[in-house]
Amino acid sequence: MMDAKLKQESPPDPVRKKAMGLLARATLDELKAAWDALVDKPEVHPVRGPETGLVMVRGRIGGGGDPFNLGEATVSRATIRLSTSEIGHGQLLGTDKQRARLAAIFDALSQRDGDKAPVEALLRRIGERLAREERRKAEETAATRVDFFTMVRGDD
Amino acid sequence: MYVAVKGGEAAIANAHRLLADRRRGDRNLPSITIDQVVEQLGLAVDRVMAEASLYDRALAALAVRQARGDMIEAIFILRAYRTTLPRFGYSEPVDTANMRVERRVSATYKDLPGGQLLGPTFDYTHRLLDPSLISDEAIAEPAVKEPGEHVMRVSDILDGEGLIEGDGQMPEGHVMGDLTREPMEFPMARDLRLQALARGDEGFLLALAYSTQRGYGRTHPFVGEVRIGEVEVELDLPELGFAVSLGTIRVTECQMVNQFMGSAKQPPQFTRGYGLVFGQSERKAMSMSLVDRALRTDEFSEDIVAPAQDQEFVISHADNVQATGFVEHLKLPHYVDFQAELDLVRRMRRDYEAANSGETAKEQREAAE
């Protein structure tokens, strides 16, 4: 059952955590373009998947209280190993296994010493697109903010 | 006596073929694509995801199309699909305080950090049919403005003064339940009730919520806030030992603020009901929060006097897949059951007539004397 409390959590690697979050939101076109642009394509061996399954999404009672199960979401994931032995994990919402596999490849590439430039360029592209989209949405929402004005009543 | 009946295969095959034809409709019209359903019937897609309890916009849109727009059929199809997939794990709880807010309104405070953000709402429309939508007229781009400050949670404002109960803690040592893993049992803890309500039928919860407003288990509610937006879903990866983001989902959250309770041990404070739903569904989130509060009778020693307060009644009948299965099964062949009933009613009728004719003869004799 719930074993979250029992697990020994190691401190997250903030760089990799952020990179994986960005890869989870990459479009297939972005990933494919980055893969096609790789001059020296690595040899990739599958370790697990790609496969699609479910993650039970949890919420918190009252927004910040104890957790409860809200409902499931489809998730696709893949684990791969490069011939240079780096292991990469890709996991993202939805049923697109191809995206999960490519995300895993770039996760592995991000750990390979030296040649990190193509991965960093991809991450930058994804990050910039997301920032643009989020900014745009925030601006559209802001335009629907109510500005109240108060009518002064009475003589003075 | 049990009689096995065979036959109907050809009729069934042809019926399904006819269904496929009717689903497609007039071939002179273009077929609708899944992307079109996702983009242009987004709230139908959201409802199917919420009540199927499976977040996947594309699959929900496919279900809507396959079901010819019959929502409960679409929910049924998507709910059935989820049983074919393995469970990878449980996410970290989503953090609605850090939601990328697309709409947030509060009925309790006019001026509050983040403000009243109307977002893409039907509110304040005149509910007049719009003929311009018949001809595909061009739509203006949304207006834009510089975004303001962080959208603070209303419950945190009241909480600062200690005038409202906390976010909701389960009793010490409580193990979080999962409806999809264990059979239902009553009394049911609040975490499980919220899971059941989150996937409960919108119409049923709406009616129950309405009944509390009309006096059947009154809770004196105010919408502290409703917010809609995207939250991050994080999954712990045991291989790495930390949680990573899988992407974002859109959810609707309602914080209902209800009239105060107090006791000898506790000063009076507002109580709360909570609603959290997949997708954009304000009506459902609000209904859920009203029903959640109504069901908390044991925590506030309230008498159960109305249907919305009766957890066994509410939770047992909230799932529309279960409900439609049991109601709709009545149309399946019940030939043998009915034959038995028919025999029984004929026998009772004979007995009745025999007794009655004896009675009539006796009455006639008495009248003659």
Side-chain angles (χ1 to χ4, degrees), chain A residues 28 52 76 92-101:
Chain A
L28 185 56
T52 296
S76 297
L92 39 87
L93 292 171
T95 54
D96 196 336
K97 290 188 257 209
Q98 209 183 342
R99 271 176 63 214
R101 182 172 170 277

Side-chain angles (χ1 to χ4, degrees), chain B residues 21-91:
Chain B
D21 175 84
R22 295 297 193 265
R23 175 192 296 127
R24 177 60 182 84
D26 185 350
R27 307 290 204 278
N28 294 317
L29 297 171
S31 160
I32 44 172
T33 66
I34 299 307
D35 290 343
Q36 286 171 346
V37 177
V38 168
E39 289 297 313
Q40 297 175 42
L41 295 175
L43 301 192
V45 169
D46 284 356
R47 181 170 175 193
V48 170
M49 293 196 305
E51 293 172 33
S53 203
L54 180 63
Y55 196 99
D56 189 310
R57 296 182 65 76
L59 292 178
L62 175 61
V64 169
R65 192 181 156 192
Q66 187 178 334
R68 306 179 66 192
D70 178 334
M71 301 303 276
I72 294 184
E73 183 69 23
I75 290 158
F76 198 161
I77 294 168
L78 196 59
R79 187 79 75 78
Y81 173 78
R82 66 158 280 280
T83 64
T84 66
L85 295 176
R87 170 79 68 82
F88 291 163
Y90 291 81
S91 83

Side-chain angles (χ1 to χ4, degrees), chain B residues 184 186 188 193 196-197 200-201 204-205 208-209 211-212 287-288 290-292 294-295 304 306-320 322:
Chain B
M184 277 192 196
F186 297 99
M188 185 180 270
R193 296 201 306 257
L197 295 176
D201 183 78
F204 180 70
L205 296 184
L208 284 170
S211 74
T212 67
S287 301
M288 176 173 170
L290 285 167
V291 175
D292 171 47
L295 288 174
I304 298 173
Q309 296 172 309
D310 181 338
Q311 52 165 281
E312 187 159 356
F313 178 80
V314 172
I315 304 297
S316 305
H317 301 121
D319 189 310
N320 56 24
Q322 266 173 22

Side-chain angles (χ1 to χ4, degrees), chain B residues 15-16 45 59 99 101 110 138 173 257 301 355 358 365:
Chain B
H16 291 168
V45 169
L59 292 178
M99 180 185 281
V101 175
K110 180 163 65 73
V257 176
S301 314
R365 258 199 320 279

Side-chain angles (χ1 to χ4, degrees), chain B residues 46-301:
Chain B
D46 284 356
R47 181 170 175 193
V48 170
M49 293 196 305
E51 293 172 33
S53 203
L54 180 63
Y55 196 99
D56 189 310
R57 296 182 65 76
L59 292 178
L62 175 61
V64 169
R65 192 181 156 192
Q66 187 178 334
R68 306 179 66 192
D70 178 334
M71 301 303 276
I72 294 184
E73 183 69 23
I75 290 158
F76 198 161
I77 294 168
L78 196 59
R79 187 79 75 78
Y81 173 78
R82 66 158 280 280
T83 64
T84 66
L85 295 176
R87 170 79 68 82
F88 291 163
Y90 291 81
S91 83
E92 298 295 309
V94 295
D95 181 7
T96 53
N98 281 318
M99 180 185 281
R100 288 187 200 107
V101 175
E102 294 163 15
R103 168 169 166 78
R104 191 284 291 273
V105 289
S106 168
T108 53
Y109 291 102
K110 180 163 65 73
D111 298 305
L112 72 175
Q116 310 275 354
L117 303 164
L118 300 183
T121 182
F122 292 118
D123 293 353
Y124 315 108
T125 62
H126 294 105
R127 266 79 183 206
L128 298 172
L129 272 177
D130 181 0
S132 76
L133 289 175
I134 297 172
S135 59
D136 196 15
E137 281 174 29
I139 303 297
E141 288 294 313
V144 290
K145 253 189 189 172
E146 189 64 23
E149 70 276 26
H150 179 72
V151 184
M152 189 185 182
R153 290 174 48 190
V154 167
S155 46
D156 291 342
I157 300 173
L158 277 166
D159 200 25
E161 285 186 78
L163 295 179
I164 193 164
E165 64 163 327
D167 275 343
Q169 305 296 327
M170 299 303 294
E172 192 83 21
H174 175 79
V175 178
M176 187 179 72
D178 185 351
L179 276 186
T180 66
R181 289 289 182 271
E182 306 125 37
M184 277 192 196
E185 257 177 55
F186 297 99
M188 185 180 270
R190 191 176 176 202
D191 59 339
L192 274 169
R193 296 201 306 257
L194 287 170
Q195 185 181 4
L197 295 176
R199 66 180 197 172
D201 183 78
E202 179 174 317
F204 180 70
L205 296 184
L206 175 66
L208 284 170
Y210 182 42
S211 74
T212 67
Q213 288 182 283
R214 293 194 62 254
Y216 294 87
R218 211 180 276 284
T219 59
H220 307 277
F222 293 93
V223 172
E225 72 171 298
V226 170
R227 55 168 66 194
I228 302 173
E230 288 183 7
V231 291
E232 198 118 0
V233 179
E234 290 200 336
L235 179 68
D236 189 62
L237 289 194
E239 300 90 333
L240 300 181
F242 57 85
V244 296
S245 171
L246 303 174
T248 59
I249 60 171
R250 181 173 290 113
V251 294
T252 304
E253 181 186 53
C254 178
Q255 302 275 4
M256 199 63 82
V257 176
N258 304 80
Q259 212 168 52
F260 10 88
M261 294 294 294
S263 64
K265 278 177 269 170
Q266 224 173 3
Q269 57 176 187
F270 287 108
T271 60
R272 293 165 62 178
Y274 187 64
L276 185 65
V277 181
F278 280 157
Q280 175 174 346
S281 186
E282 214 159 272
R283 185 186 303 119
K284 166 81 178 277
M286 291 175 68
S287 301
M288 176 173 170
S289 64
L290 285 167
V291 175
D292 171 47
R293 174 59 188 83
L295 288 174
R296 297 176 62 199
T297 52
D298 54 341
E299 290 174 71
F300 303 121
S301 314

Side-chain angles (χ1 to χ4, degrees), chain A residues 99-126:
Chain A
R99 271 176 63 214
R101 182 172 170 277
L102 284 166
I105 293 172
F106 283 103
D107 175 49
L109 283 172
S110 77
Q111 296 161 69
R112 198 153 72 167
D113 288 332
D115 199 27
K116 284 186 182 174
V119 186
E120 279 162 8
L122 170 64
L123 294 176
R124 201 163 43 243
R125 244 189 329 276
I126 303 164

